[in-house]
Amino acid sequence: MQVNNIRQYFEQEAFNYNDLILRLIPYYREQHQVMLDMIDVPQNASIKVLDLGCGTGVLSHLVLQNFKQANVVAFDFAENMLAACKNNLSAYQDRVEFKQGDFGVDDIGEHYDLIVSGLAIHHLDAEGKQKLFKKLFSTMNPNGLLLILEIVKGANAQLTQKYEKLWRKFINDNGEDENYWFAKHIEEDIPDSVENQTQWLAQAGFINIGCHWRYLNFAIFGANKPKINQK
């Protein structure tokens, strides 16, 4: 699906997104707790954070709430998503900046100590993801931490099909139309395997690369930018 069509879809869904996603994504809240647990910096640290594809601001809220001196750039391409995000983060308006753009091609800022991304980069193809990982590496401070929550493929086609079958059952069991949402997924999403994406992170220069959590076709993986003079 073209970027403009994806943007239009999320503009329409923005204000219903938080309730809806709990019926579509298994262990959604638990995933975000894992993301938070993996941020291994002091809670009083002054850090600059990028929330890439911020949506309604779930990850930004977790960071701002738990790291009292963090400053967040909330980046998304959907105007209504950013409006919802701005409303949800109103208590932290002095520590958050909102930017609209396409992170695949637009400037995303620099000097980040932490970059988080939740269910956003699967809209890029394999080449786009590899370019993005290099871009993220270049925008981070030494020892910066990258954490990505994503929908992913299995290591082979058989596993992917098994994961997708169980995911569709989850959607159906939660009262949603599995055929509708799976068709949307096929039309819009370009997931890749954890194995490929962690390899691309290594090629971009990251270290300490690992998959921190996984359930079916959802995973959390991440890495660090090396410290100065560290390989």
Side-chain angles (χ1 to χ4, degrees), residues 29-30 49 51 64 67 97 101 104 109 146 160 171 212 217:
R29 291 193 175 97
E30 289 84 353
V49 183
D51 185 355
L64 291 162
F67 299 91
E97 177 185 359
L146 172 65
T160 297
I171 293 172
H212 310 314
N217 53 335

Side-chain angles (χ1 to χ4, degrees), residues 26 55 59 63-64 69 73 80 121 135 138 147 149 153 165 185 215 231:
L59 287 175
V63 171
L64 291 162
Q69 296 189 58
V73 175
N80 278 10
I121 68 170
K135 185 177 183 178
S138 70
L147 291 171
L149 161 61
K153 287 184 177 180
K165 180 180 179 180
H185 164 64
Y215 180 76
K231 294 183 179 180

Side-chain angles (χ1 to χ4, degrees), residues 22-170:
L22 295 176
R23 301 192 295 273
L24 301 180
I25 309 297
Y27 298 110
Y28 184 70
R29 291 193 175 97
E30 289 84 353
Q31 292 172 22
H32 288 87
Q33 185 60 50
V34 172
M35 294 280 279
L36 181 61
D37 291 343
M38 290 302 301
I39 303 173
D40 54 351
V41 299
Q43 289 191 319
N44 63 350
S46 178
I47 54 174
K48 184 178 180 181
V49 183
L50 172 64
D51 185 355
L52 193 72
C54 62
T56 57
V58 176
L59 287 175
S60 290
H61 181 265
L62 284 175
V63 171
L64 291 162
Q65 183 181 53
N66 288 276
F67 299 91
K68 304 303 183 183
Q69 296 189 58
N71 288 276
V72 172
V73 175
F75 193 105
D76 205 284
F77 59 55
E79 183 178 353
N80 278 10
M81 278 290 186
L82 283 173
C85 184
K86 188 172 184 178
N87 181 66
N88 290 336
L89 301 181
S90 59
Y92 307 101
Q93 57 184 336
D94 59 327
R95 293 196 285 129
V96 60
E97 177 185 359
F98 302 92
K99 287 189 176 183
Q100 183 177 3
D102 179 353
F103 57 69
V105 296
D106 294 333
D107 177 51
I108 59 173
E110 58 185 355
H111 301 304
Y112 294 112
D113 302 295
L114 170 66
I115 297 177
V116 295
S117 183
L119 302 173
I121 68 170
H122 59 259
H123 294 304
L124 299 176
D125 61 16
E127 182 181 2
K129 292 183 182 74
Q130 292 174 73
K131 289 181 178 178
L132 177 65
F133 291 163
K134 293 176 182 177
K135 185 177 183 178
L136 297 180
F137 185 88
S138 70
T139 65
M140 299 182 76
N141 288 331
N143 202 39
L145 174 63
L146 172 65
L147 291 171
I148 297 172
L149 161 61
E150 263 305 332
I151 185 167
V152 297
K153 287 184 177 180
N156 56 52
Q158 183 178 1
L159 283 173
T160 297
Q161 291 172 5
K162 183 178 291 188
Y163 297 157
E164 289 174 347
K165 180 180 179 180
L166 292 169
W167 179 37
R168 293 181 66 157
K169 182 180 184 299
F170 173 87

